[in-house]
């Protein structure tokens, strides 16, 4: 598969049209080259994803959604990372497999689709057998989801915001279309990979996990999101509800984001989900809101190790 760097990029729903082939950076910050911030085993995903030695997590630089509260802001908006080739990316996948990773977990890779697909193809030819996880904000086009068919086994997707006109999608992500776009993308993901399956050790092999992060002061919107998801998808996906929000900086324009999510709100959301009939989902113990969930973005695993 050849790499065609977009001359009018429409890889994500922003469809900003950047001429990336000429080095113009798009809304996401990505330009004409592939950039990674970290590639390492990661223990803090959901248990069937982080099983065995951990998830083989590859953090890509830049991000189409650019939420103001992003927990990985240095890479998503700061653009931190190293430029590498497609061949090196394929090697990284195989190195993670050699470290006994449970899967290859591609975090926010949409803007690099033209590099990621050939790298996966090369790695498969060279012995990659692990499931591939597409770890996304949920803000995806149907064309991108269609392009991932046959490459991705598991979608680990956020569903961040509700549909209300005053929804946090506008305030925090400049994405008034988030709900409609993410809804259509999620439907397409479910159709593509089907219901969750696991191997004999309980490691996820295929399916969809939908994540939702409760933000400070957003309890009612979070309830609406979970009600929508449950009524639409029921038990065909796994759910993961998180309370790990940690203020990444001091906000003057969004003072509510200077606080952590309260235990009271989190348990009110879990009680609401129980009342809906959602009795099986991933949730986080108290005290999850720690910076320790955020790995160091120091280009670990990105450069080829020197021979000794
Ligand atoms: S992936 Fe980046 S460059 Fe491409 S349309 Fe989205 S924001 Fe623009």
């Amino acid at each position: 598969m050849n790499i065609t760097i977009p001359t009018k990029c429409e890889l994500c729903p922003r469809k900003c049209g950047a001429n990336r082939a000429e080095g113009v950076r798009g809304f996401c910050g990505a330009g004409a080259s592939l950039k990674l911030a970290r590639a390492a085993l990661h223990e803090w995903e959901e248990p069937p994803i982080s099983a065995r030695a951990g998830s083989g997590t590859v953090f890509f630089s830049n991000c189409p959604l650019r939420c103001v509260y992003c927990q990985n802001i240095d890479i998503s908006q700061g653009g931190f990372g190293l430029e590498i080739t497609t061949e090196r990316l394929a090697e990284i996948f195989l190195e993670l497999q050699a470290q006994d990773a449970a899967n290859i977990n591609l975090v926010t890779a949409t803007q690099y689709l033209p590099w990621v697909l050939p790298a996966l193809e090369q790695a498969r030819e060279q012995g990659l057998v692990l499931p591939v996880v597409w770890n996304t904000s949920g803000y995806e086009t149907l064309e991108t989801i269609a392009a991932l068919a046959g490459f991705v086994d598991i979608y680990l997707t956020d569903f961040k915001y509700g549909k209300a006109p005053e929804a946090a999608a506008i305030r925090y992500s400049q994405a008034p279309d988030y709900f409609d776009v993410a809804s259509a993308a999620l439907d397409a993901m479910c159709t593509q990979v089907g219901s969750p399956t696991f191997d004999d050790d309980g490691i996820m092999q295929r399916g969809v996990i939908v994540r939702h992060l409760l933000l400070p002061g957003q309890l009612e919107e979070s309830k609406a999101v979970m009600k929508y998801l449950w009524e639409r998808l029921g038990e065909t996906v796994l759910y993961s509800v998180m309370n790990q929000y940690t203020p990444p900086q001091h906000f003057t324009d969004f003072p509510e984001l200077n606080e952590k999510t309260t235990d009271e709100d989190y348990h009110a959301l879990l009680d609401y989900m129980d009342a809906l009939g959602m009795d099986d989902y991933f949730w986080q113990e108290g005290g999850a809101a720690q910076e320790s969930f955020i790995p160091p973005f120091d280009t670990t695993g990105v450069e080829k190790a020197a021979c000794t």
Side-chain angles (χ1 to χ4, degrees):
M1 181 181 288
N2 294 323
I3 299 177
T4 304
I5 303 174
T7 53
K8 184 173 181 290
C9 190
E10 296 189 339
L11 288 172
C12 85
R14 300 284 184 195
K15 298 193 174 179
C16 73
N19 186 348
R20 293 179 53 189
E22 295 289 327
V24 178
R25 296 186 188 282
F27 180 94
C28 62
S33 49
L34 169 64
K35 226 171 154 188
L36 259 63
R38 180 178 172 86
L41 299 176
H42 187 56
E43 299 174 25
W44 299 108
E45 307 287 26
E46 287 74 4
I49 299 292
S50 278
R52 215 150 59 197
S55 179
T57 308
V58 182
F59 289 91
F60 292 82
S61 307
N62 308 113
C63 176
L65 199 53
R66 298 173 68 91
C67 308
V68 295
Y69 55 83
C70 181
Q71 306 289 281
N72 301 339
I73 202 158
D74 290 346
I75 60 172
S76 65
Q77 290 163 52
F80 174 79
L82 285 180
E83 293 183 3
I84 63 164
T85 63
T86 304
E87 290 71 26
R88 176 64 194 140
L89 184 58
E91 281 179 359
I92 286 170
F93 296 157
L94 293 166
E95 288 169 6
L96 290 168
Q97 178 169 269
Q99 293 169 38
D100 202 25
N103 43 57
I104 300 299
N105 184 348
L106 308 175
V107 184
T108 315
T110 305
Q111 63 278 19
Y112 297 113
L113 194 73
W115 291 264
V116 170
L117 298 186
L120 284 171
E121 200 169 61
Q122 284 179 33
R124 290 282 189 217
E125 287 169 5
Q126 294 166 22
L128 179 70
V129 295
L130 296 177
V132 172
V133 181
W134 192 254
N135 190 330
T136 169
S137 67
Y139 195 56
E140 300 279 12
T141 66
L142 295 179
E143 293 78 9
T144 287
I145 299 303
L148 294 170
F151 291 93
V152 165
D153 304 286
I154 297 166
Y155 286 99
L156 181 53
T157 180
D158 294 341
F159 202 103
K160 292 175 177 290
Y161 304 119
K163 193 175 176 59
E166 69 281 12
I170 301 169
R171 181 166 169 78
Y172 299 142
S173 300
Q174 302 176 60
D177 59 350
Y178 180 90
F179 181 88
D180 292 332
V181 166
S183 298
L186 181 55
D187 286 352
M189 295 173 197
C190 293
T191 300
Q192 188 183 103
V193 298
S195 295
T197 62
F198 306 86
D199 70 6
D200 292 343
D201 296 321
I203 301 174
M204 195 165 178
Q205 302 297 300
R206 206 163 167 83
V208 178
I209 298 179
V210 186
R211 280 176 165 172
H212 180 73
L213 173 67
L214 176 61
L215 292 169
Q218 295 295 322
L219 175 60
E220 293 310 313
E221 189 161 334
S222 289
K223 285 181 179 177
V225 166
M226 297 318 299
K227 184 171 189 289
Y228 167 79
L229 292 171
W230 180 242
E231 290 178 348
R232 186 159 186 88
L233 302 172
E235 294 177 348
T236 61
V237 302
L238 303 178
Y239 299 94
S240 180
V241 183
M242 304 182 293
N243 68 340
Q244 69 185 52
Y245 172 74
T246 302
Q249 57 178 295
H250 182 78
F251 294 98
T252 50
D253 293 342
F254 311 100
E256 69 278 15
L257 293 179
N258 292 323
E259 306 296 329
K260 292 182 178 178
T261 304
T262 66
D263 286 347
E264 188 181 7
D265 277 4
Y266 187 52
H267 285 284
L269 179 59
L270 300 184
D271 288 347
Y272 179 79
M273 292 167 59
D274 292 345
L276 288 174
M278 303 174 71
D279 57 2
D280 190 16
Y281 49 80
F282 301 109
W283 60 284
Q284 295 179 310
E285 301 283 351
Q290 300 171 16
E291 289 176 3
S292 59
F293 278 88
I294 304 169
F297 295 117
D298 53 6
T299 69
T300 293
V302 178
E303 286 183 295
K304 193 172 181 132
C307 294
T308 54

